Short mmCIF file of all heavy atoms in Angstrom, two decimals:
data_model
loop_
_atom_site.label_atom_id
_atom_site.label_comp_id
_atom_site.label_asym_id
_atom_site.label_seq_id
_atom_site.Cartn_x
_atom_site.Cartn_y
_atom_site.Cartn_z
N TYR A 1 -11.60 -11.85 18.60
CA TYR A 1 -12.64 -12.87 18.53
C TYR A 1 -12.07 -14.29 18.63
O TYR A 1 -12.75 -15.24 18.25
CB TYR A 1 -13.44 -12.74 17.23
CG TYR A 1 -14.26 -11.49 17.17
CD1 TYR A 1 -13.98 -10.49 16.24
CD2 TYR A 1 -15.35 -11.32 18.01
CE1 TYR A 1 -14.75 -9.34 16.17
CE2 TYR A 1 -16.13 -10.16 17.95
CZ TYR A 1 -15.82 -9.19 17.03
OH TYR A 1 -16.58 -8.05 16.95
N ARG A 2 -10.89 -14.44 19.12
CA ARG A 2 -10.22 -15.74 19.17
C ARG A 2 -11.12 -16.83 19.77
O ARG A 2 -11.32 -17.89 19.19
CB ARG A 2 -8.91 -15.66 19.94
CG ARG A 2 -8.15 -16.96 20.00
CD ARG A 2 -6.86 -16.83 20.81
NE ARG A 2 -5.99 -15.80 20.29
CZ ARG A 2 -4.96 -16.03 19.48
NH1 ARG A 2 -4.69 -17.25 19.11
NH2 ARG A 2 -4.21 -15.05 19.05
N GLU A 3 -11.68 -16.56 20.94
CA GLU A 3 -12.53 -17.56 21.61
C GLU A 3 -13.81 -17.81 20.84
O GLU A 3 -14.25 -18.96 20.72
CB GLU A 3 -12.84 -17.12 23.04
CG GLU A 3 -11.63 -17.15 23.95
CD GLU A 3 -11.93 -16.65 25.35
OE1 GLU A 3 -13.11 -16.63 25.75
OE2 GLU A 3 -10.98 -16.29 26.05
N LEU A 4 -14.42 -16.76 20.33
CA LEU A 4 -15.65 -16.91 19.57
C LEU A 4 -15.42 -17.67 18.27
O LEU A 4 -16.25 -18.50 17.86
CB LEU A 4 -16.27 -15.54 19.28
CG LEU A 4 -17.64 -15.52 18.62
CD1 LEU A 4 -18.66 -16.35 19.41
CD2 LEU A 4 -18.13 -14.10 18.44
N ILE A 5 -14.29 -17.43 17.62
CA ILE A 5 -13.94 -18.17 16.40
C ILE A 5 -13.82 -19.66 16.71
O ILE A 5 -14.37 -20.50 15.99
CB ILE A 5 -12.64 -17.63 15.78
CG1 ILE A 5 -12.87 -16.25 15.17
CG2 ILE A 5 -12.10 -18.59 14.72
CD1 ILE A 5 -11.62 -15.53 14.74
N THR A 6 -13.13 -19.99 17.78
CA THR A 6 -12.98 -21.39 18.16
C THR A 6 -14.34 -22.03 18.39
O THR A 6 -14.61 -23.14 17.91
CB THR A 6 -12.11 -21.51 19.43
OG1 THR A 6 -10.82 -20.95 19.15
CG2 THR A 6 -11.94 -22.95 19.86
N LYS A 7 -15.20 -21.33 19.10
CA LYS A 7 -16.54 -21.84 19.40
C LYS A 7 -17.35 -22.02 18.12
O LYS A 7 -18.00 -23.05 17.92
CB LYS A 7 -17.25 -20.90 20.36
CG LYS A 7 -18.63 -21.36 20.75
CD LYS A 7 -19.28 -20.39 21.72
CE LYS A 7 -20.67 -20.88 22.08
NZ LYS A 7 -21.40 -19.94 22.90
N GLN A 8 -17.32 -21.01 17.26
CA GLN A 8 -18.09 -21.08 16.02
C GLN A 8 -17.60 -22.19 15.09
O GLN A 8 -18.40 -22.84 14.42
CB GLN A 8 -18.05 -19.73 15.30
CG GLN A 8 -18.89 -18.67 15.94
CD GLN A 8 -20.34 -19.09 16.03
OE1 GLN A 8 -20.99 -19.37 15.02
NE2 GLN A 8 -20.85 -19.17 17.25
N LYS A 9 -16.31 -22.41 15.06
CA LYS A 9 -15.78 -23.49 14.22
C LYS A 9 -16.27 -24.85 14.70
O LYS A 9 -16.46 -25.76 13.90
CB LYS A 9 -14.25 -23.45 14.22
CG LYS A 9 -13.71 -22.34 13.35
CD LYS A 9 -12.22 -22.18 13.39
CE LYS A 9 -11.44 -23.39 13.72
NZ LYS A 9 -10.01 -23.16 13.89
N GLN A 10 -16.50 -24.97 15.99
CA GLN A 10 -16.97 -26.24 16.55
C GLN A 10 -18.48 -26.40 16.42
O GLN A 10 -18.98 -27.51 16.26
CB GLN A 10 -16.58 -26.34 18.03
CG GLN A 10 -15.09 -26.43 18.24
CD GLN A 10 -14.70 -26.26 19.69
OE1 GLN A 10 -15.51 -25.93 20.55
NE2 GLN A 10 -13.42 -26.48 19.98
N GLU A 11 -19.21 -25.30 16.49
CA GLU A 11 -20.67 -25.37 16.57
C GLU A 11 -21.41 -24.97 15.29
O GLU A 11 -22.58 -25.28 15.14
CB GLU A 11 -21.17 -24.48 17.71
CG GLU A 11 -20.66 -24.91 19.07
CD GLU A 11 -21.05 -23.98 20.19
OE1 GLU A 11 -21.74 -22.96 19.93
OE2 GLU A 11 -20.66 -24.25 21.34
N ASN A 12 -20.75 -24.27 14.40
CA ASN A 12 -21.41 -23.74 13.22
C ASN A 12 -20.72 -24.26 11.95
O ASN A 12 -19.67 -23.76 11.56
CB ASN A 12 -21.37 -22.21 13.27
CG ASN A 12 -22.12 -21.55 12.14
OD1 ASN A 12 -22.32 -22.13 11.07
ND2 ASN A 12 -22.54 -20.31 12.36
N PRO A 13 -21.31 -25.27 11.30
CA PRO A 13 -20.67 -25.85 10.11
C PRO A 13 -20.42 -24.83 8.99
O PRO A 13 -19.40 -24.90 8.31
CB PRO A 13 -21.66 -26.93 9.65
CG PRO A 13 -22.52 -27.21 10.83
CD PRO A 13 -22.55 -25.95 11.66
N ARG A 14 -21.34 -23.90 8.82
CA ARG A 14 -21.17 -22.88 7.77
C ARG A 14 -19.96 -21.99 8.08
O ARG A 14 -19.15 -21.71 7.20
CB ARG A 14 -22.45 -22.02 7.67
CG ARG A 14 -22.34 -20.88 6.71
CD ARG A 14 -22.53 -21.34 5.29
NE ARG A 14 -22.52 -20.18 4.40
CZ ARG A 14 -21.84 -20.14 3.28
NH1 ARG A 14 -21.17 -21.18 2.87
NH2 ARG A 14 -21.86 -19.07 2.53
N PHE A 15 -19.84 -21.56 9.32
CA PHE A 15 -18.69 -20.75 9.72
C PHE A 15 -17.40 -21.53 9.50
O PHE A 15 -16.43 -21.00 8.95
CB PHE A 15 -18.81 -20.34 11.19
CG PHE A 15 -17.71 -19.42 11.64
CD1 PHE A 15 -17.85 -18.05 11.54
CD2 PHE A 15 -16.53 -19.93 12.16
CE1 PHE A 15 -16.83 -17.19 11.93
CE2 PHE A 15 -15.51 -19.09 12.57
CZ PHE A 15 -15.66 -17.72 12.45
N CYS A 16 -17.39 -22.78 9.92
CA CYS A 16 -16.20 -23.62 9.78
C CYS A 16 -15.80 -23.76 8.31
O CYS A 16 -14.62 -23.65 7.98
CB CYS A 16 -16.46 -24.99 10.41
SG CYS A 16 -15.00 -26.04 10.47
N THR A 17 -16.77 -23.96 7.44
CA THR A 17 -16.49 -24.10 6.01
C THR A 17 -15.90 -22.82 5.44
O THR A 17 -14.89 -22.86 4.71
CB THR A 17 -17.78 -24.46 5.24
OG1 THR A 17 -18.27 -25.71 5.74
CG2 THR A 17 -17.54 -24.56 3.76
N LEU A 18 -16.50 -21.69 5.78
CA LEU A 18 -15.97 -20.40 5.30
C LEU A 18 -14.57 -20.14 5.84
O LEU A 18 -13.69 -19.66 5.11
CB LEU A 18 -16.90 -19.25 5.71
CG LEU A 18 -18.28 -19.23 5.08
CD1 LEU A 18 -19.10 -18.08 5.64
CD2 LEU A 18 -18.20 -19.14 3.57
N PHE A 19 -14.35 -20.48 7.09
CA PHE A 19 -13.05 -20.27 7.72
C PHE A 19 -11.98 -21.12 7.03
O PHE A 19 -10.88 -20.65 6.72
CB PHE A 19 -13.14 -20.62 9.20
CG PHE A 19 -11.94 -20.22 10.00
CD1 PHE A 19 -11.85 -18.96 10.55
CD2 PHE A 19 -10.90 -21.11 10.22
CE1 PHE A 19 -10.74 -18.58 11.30
CE2 PHE A 19 -9.79 -20.74 10.95
CZ PHE A 19 -9.72 -19.47 11.49
N GLN A 20 -12.30 -22.37 6.77
CA GLN A 20 -11.35 -23.26 6.10
C GLN A 20 -11.06 -22.79 4.68
O GLN A 20 -9.92 -22.85 4.22
CB GLN A 20 -11.88 -24.69 6.09
CG GLN A 20 -11.85 -25.33 7.46
CD GLN A 20 -12.54 -26.67 7.50
OE1 GLN A 20 -13.30 -27.03 6.60
NE2 GLN A 20 -12.28 -27.42 8.55
N GLU A 21 -12.08 -22.32 3.99
CA GLU A 21 -11.88 -21.81 2.63
C GLU A 21 -11.02 -20.55 2.65
O GLU A 21 -10.16 -20.37 1.79
CB GLU A 21 -13.24 -21.54 1.96
CG GLU A 21 -13.14 -21.02 0.55
CD GLU A 21 -12.53 -21.99 -0.44
OE1 GLU A 21 -12.32 -23.17 -0.12
OE2 GLU A 21 -12.23 -21.55 -1.57
N HIS A 22 -11.23 -19.69 3.63
CA HIS A 22 -10.40 -18.49 3.77
C HIS A 22 -8.93 -18.89 3.97
O HIS A 22 -8.04 -18.34 3.33
CB HIS A 22 -10.89 -17.65 4.95
CG HIS A 22 -10.14 -16.37 5.12
ND1 HIS A 22 -8.95 -16.29 5.80
CD2 HIS A 22 -10.41 -15.12 4.70
CE1 HIS A 22 -8.52 -15.05 5.79
NE2 HIS A 22 -9.39 -14.31 5.13
N ASN A 23 -8.69 -19.86 4.83
CA ASN A 23 -7.32 -20.33 5.06
C ASN A 23 -6.72 -20.95 3.80
O ASN A 23 -5.55 -20.72 3.47
CB ASN A 23 -7.27 -21.35 6.20
CG ASN A 23 -7.21 -20.70 7.56
OD1 ASN A 23 -6.94 -19.52 7.68
ND2 ASN A 23 -7.47 -21.48 8.58
N ARG A 24 -7.53 -21.73 3.09
CA ARG A 24 -7.05 -22.37 1.86
C ARG A 24 -6.63 -21.30 0.84
O ARG A 24 -5.56 -21.39 0.23
CB ARG A 24 -8.13 -23.28 1.27
CG ARG A 24 -7.63 -24.09 0.06
CD ARG A 24 -8.77 -24.73 -0.68
NE ARG A 24 -9.61 -23.77 -1.39
CZ ARG A 24 -9.26 -23.14 -2.51
NH1 ARG A 24 -8.07 -23.33 -3.05
NH2 ARG A 24 -10.09 -22.30 -3.09
N LEU A 25 -7.48 -20.28 0.68
CA LEU A 25 -7.15 -19.21 -0.25
C LEU A 25 -5.90 -18.45 0.19
O LEU A 25 -5.06 -18.10 -0.64
CB LEU A 25 -8.32 -18.23 -0.38
CG LEU A 25 -9.50 -18.72 -1.20
CD1 LEU A 25 -10.66 -17.73 -1.10
CD2 LEU A 25 -9.11 -18.94 -2.65
N ASP A 26 -5.77 -18.22 1.47
CA ASP A 26 -4.59 -17.52 1.99
C ASP A 26 -3.32 -18.28 1.62
O ASP A 26 -2.35 -17.69 1.12
CB ASP A 26 -4.71 -17.37 3.51
CG ASP A 26 -3.60 -16.51 4.07
OD1 ASP A 26 -3.48 -15.34 3.65
OD2 ASP A 26 -2.84 -17.02 4.91
N HIS A 27 -3.32 -19.58 1.82
CA HIS A 27 -2.14 -20.39 1.50
C HIS A 27 -1.89 -20.43 -0.01
O HIS A 27 -0.74 -20.35 -0.46
CB HIS A 27 -2.30 -21.81 2.05
CG HIS A 27 -2.27 -21.86 3.54
ND1 HIS A 27 -1.15 -21.59 4.30
CD2 HIS A 27 -3.25 -22.14 4.43
CE1 HIS A 27 -1.43 -21.69 5.57
NE2 HIS A 27 -2.70 -22.03 5.69
N GLU A 28 -2.96 -20.54 -0.79
CA GLU A 28 -2.81 -20.58 -2.24
C GLU A 28 -2.26 -19.26 -2.78
O GLU A 28 -1.38 -19.24 -3.63
CB GLU A 28 -4.16 -20.90 -2.90
CG GLU A 28 -4.14 -20.96 -4.40
CD GLU A 28 -3.34 -22.11 -4.97
OE1 GLU A 28 -2.90 -23.01 -4.22
OE2 GLU A 28 -3.13 -22.12 -6.19
N ILE A 29 -2.77 -18.16 -2.27
CA ILE A 29 -2.28 -16.84 -2.69
C ILE A 29 -0.79 -16.70 -2.36
O ILE A 29 0.00 -16.26 -3.21
CB ILE A 29 -3.11 -15.71 -2.04
CG1 ILE A 29 -4.51 -15.70 -2.62
CG2 ILE A 29 -2.43 -14.35 -2.20
CD1 ILE A 29 -5.52 -14.88 -1.83
N LYS A 30 -0.41 -17.07 -1.16
CA LYS A 30 1.01 -16.98 -0.78
C LYS A 30 1.88 -17.84 -1.69
O LYS A 30 2.96 -17.42 -2.09
CB LYS A 30 1.19 -17.39 0.67
CG LYS A 30 0.71 -16.34 1.63
CD LYS A 30 0.90 -16.77 3.05
CE LYS A 30 0.38 -15.70 3.99
NZ LYS A 30 0.49 -16.08 5.38
N ARG A 31 1.40 -19.03 -2.02
CA ARG A 31 2.16 -19.92 -2.90
C ARG A 31 2.32 -19.29 -4.28
O ARG A 31 3.41 -19.24 -4.85
CB ARG A 31 1.47 -21.27 -3.01
CG ARG A 31 2.24 -22.29 -3.83
CD ARG A 31 1.43 -23.56 -4.05
NE ARG A 31 0.33 -23.37 -4.97
CZ ARG A 31 0.43 -23.28 -6.31
NH1 ARG A 31 1.62 -23.36 -6.88
NH2 ARG A 31 -0.63 -23.12 -7.07
N LEU A 32 1.21 -18.78 -4.83
CA LEU A 32 1.24 -18.19 -6.16
C LEU A 32 2.09 -16.92 -6.22
O LEU A 32 2.73 -16.64 -7.24
CB LEU A 32 -0.18 -17.89 -6.64
CG LEU A 32 -1.04 -19.11 -6.95
CD1 LEU A 32 -2.48 -18.68 -7.22
CD2 LEU A 32 -0.48 -19.91 -8.11
N GLU A 33 2.08 -16.16 -5.14
CA GLU A 33 2.87 -14.92 -5.12
C GLU A 33 4.37 -15.18 -5.15
O GLU A 33 5.14 -14.27 -5.45
CB GLU A 33 2.49 -14.09 -3.90
CG GLU A 33 1.14 -13.42 -4.03
CD GLU A 33 0.74 -12.61 -2.82
OE1 GLU A 33 1.18 -12.92 -1.69
OE2 GLU A 33 -0.03 -11.65 -3.00
N GLN A 34 4.76 -16.39 -4.83
CA GLN A 34 6.19 -16.73 -4.87
C GLN A 34 6.67 -17.02 -6.29
O GLN A 34 7.87 -17.06 -6.53
CB GLN A 34 6.46 -17.96 -3.98
CG GLN A 34 6.12 -17.76 -2.53
CD GLN A 34 6.87 -16.59 -1.91
OE1 GLN A 34 8.07 -16.46 -2.07
NE2 GLN A 34 6.14 -15.72 -1.24
N LEU A 35 5.76 -17.21 -7.22
CA LEU A 35 6.12 -17.51 -8.61
C LEU A 35 6.58 -16.24 -9.32
O LEU A 35 6.08 -15.15 -9.04
CB LEU A 35 4.92 -18.11 -9.34
CG LEU A 35 4.36 -19.41 -8.76
CD1 LEU A 35 3.10 -19.81 -9.51
CD2 LEU A 35 5.40 -20.52 -8.81
N PRO A 36 7.52 -16.38 -10.24
CA PRO A 36 7.99 -15.20 -10.99
C PRO A 36 6.85 -14.54 -11.77
O PRO A 36 6.02 -15.20 -12.37
CB PRO A 36 9.02 -15.79 -11.97
CG PRO A 36 9.39 -17.12 -11.41
CD PRO A 36 8.21 -17.60 -10.63
N GLY A 37 6.81 -13.22 -11.73
CA GLY A 37 5.81 -12.45 -12.47
C GLY A 37 4.42 -12.49 -11.89
O GLY A 37 3.46 -12.10 -12.54
N ALA A 38 4.29 -12.92 -10.66
CA ALA A 38 2.96 -13.12 -10.08
C ALA A 38 2.39 -11.89 -9.39
O ALA A 38 1.24 -11.92 -8.99
CB ALA A 38 3.02 -14.28 -9.08
N VAL A 39 3.14 -10.84 -9.27
CA VAL A 39 2.70 -9.68 -8.48
C VAL A 39 1.35 -9.14 -8.93
O VAL A 39 0.48 -8.87 -8.11
CB VAL A 39 3.77 -8.57 -8.53
CG1 VAL A 39 3.28 -7.33 -7.79
CG2 VAL A 39 5.07 -9.05 -7.94
N HIS A 40 1.13 -9.01 -10.22
CA HIS A 40 -0.11 -8.43 -10.73
C HIS A 40 -0.94 -9.45 -11.50
O HIS A 40 -1.76 -9.07 -12.34
CB HIS A 40 0.18 -7.21 -11.61
CG HIS A 40 0.88 -6.12 -10.87
ND1 HIS A 40 0.25 -5.38 -9.89
CD2 HIS A 40 2.15 -5.66 -10.93
CE1 HIS A 40 1.11 -4.50 -9.39
NE2 HIS A 40 2.27 -4.64 -10.00
N ASP A 41 -0.74 -10.69 -11.21
CA ASP A 41 -1.46 -11.76 -11.89
C ASP A 41 -2.97 -11.64 -11.64
O ASP A 41 -3.41 -11.51 -10.50
CB ASP A 41 -0.93 -13.11 -11.40
CG ASP A 41 -1.56 -14.26 -12.11
OD1 ASP A 41 -1.03 -14.68 -13.16
OD2 ASP A 41 -2.60 -14.74 -11.62
N LYS A 42 -3.76 -11.69 -12.70
CA LYS A 42 -5.22 -11.53 -12.58
C LYS A 42 -5.85 -12.62 -11.73
O LYS A 42 -6.80 -12.37 -10.99
CB LYS A 42 -5.86 -11.49 -13.96
CG LYS A 42 -5.56 -10.22 -14.72
CD LYS A 42 -6.22 -10.22 -16.08
CE LYS A 42 -5.83 -8.96 -16.83
NZ LYS A 42 -6.47 -8.88 -18.13
N HIS A 43 -5.33 -13.83 -11.83
CA HIS A 43 -5.86 -14.93 -11.02
C HIS A 43 -5.66 -14.66 -9.52
O HIS A 43 -6.56 -14.88 -8.72
CB HIS A 43 -5.20 -16.25 -11.43
CG HIS A 43 -5.69 -17.43 -10.67
ND1 HIS A 43 -6.98 -17.88 -10.72
CD2 HIS A 43 -5.04 -18.25 -9.80
CE1 HIS A 43 -7.12 -18.92 -9.92
NE2 HIS A 43 -5.96 -19.17 -9.35
N ILE A 44 -4.49 -14.17 -9.17
CA ILE A 44 -4.20 -13.84 -7.77
C ILE A 44 -5.13 -12.73 -7.28
O ILE A 44 -5.65 -12.80 -6.17
CB ILE A 44 -2.72 -13.46 -7.57
CG1 ILE A 44 -1.83 -14.67 -7.83
CG2 ILE A 44 -2.48 -12.91 -6.17
CD1 ILE A 44 -0.34 -14.37 -7.83
N ILE A 45 -5.36 -11.75 -8.12
CA ILE A 45 -6.25 -10.65 -7.75
C ILE A 45 -7.66 -11.18 -7.48
O ILE A 45 -8.30 -10.79 -6.51
CB ILE A 45 -6.25 -9.57 -8.85
CG1 ILE A 45 -4.89 -8.88 -8.89
CG2 ILE A 45 -7.37 -8.55 -8.63
CD1 ILE A 45 -4.66 -7.98 -10.08
N GLU A 46 -8.13 -12.08 -8.32
CA GLU A 46 -9.46 -12.67 -8.10
C GLU A 46 -9.50 -13.50 -6.82
O GLU A 46 -10.49 -13.45 -6.08
CB GLU A 46 -9.86 -13.54 -9.30
CG GLU A 46 -10.23 -12.76 -10.53
CD GLU A 46 -11.37 -11.79 -10.28
OE1 GLU A 46 -12.37 -12.16 -9.65
OE2 GLU A 46 -11.26 -10.62 -10.73
N LEU A 47 -8.44 -14.24 -6.55
CA LEU A 47 -8.38 -15.02 -5.30
C LEU A 47 -8.40 -14.09 -4.09
O LEU A 47 -9.06 -14.39 -3.09
CB LEU A 47 -7.12 -15.90 -5.27
CG LEU A 47 -7.08 -17.06 -6.26
CD1 LEU A 47 -5.73 -17.78 -6.16
CD2 LEU A 47 -8.22 -18.02 -6.04
#
């Protein structure tokens, strides 16, 4: 869906917001997983 995603991000504000939030969570989860003892952290699981 690469092309459709690009189009939706430009034309659909709701899609763009959800997409950005998904990316933000992805980066936050990766950052938190690098911390010691984070493997089974409840906050990470919720994220």
Side-chain angles (χ1 to χ4, degrees):
Y1 292 114
R2 181 182 303 262
E3 291 178 20
L4 186 55
I5 289 170
T6 300
K7 181 179 179 186
Q8 286 301 301
K9 284 175 26 186
Q10 294 169 352
E11 298 176 0
N12 184 336
R14 175 80 176 135
F15 184 90
C16 187
T17 299
L18 294 177
F19 190 88
Q20 289 172 344
E21 181 65 10
H22 183 276
N23 276 346
R24 186 193 69 74
L25 285 173
D26 187 59
H27 292 292
E28 180 67 8
I29 290 166
K30 286 180 181 178
R31 184 187 71 77
L32 291 172
E33 286 179 332
Q34 299 303 312
L35 300 174
V39 176
H40 298 291
D41 183 89
K42 289 180 183 182
H43 180 64
I44 294 173
I45 292 169
E46 287 302 315
L47 291 177

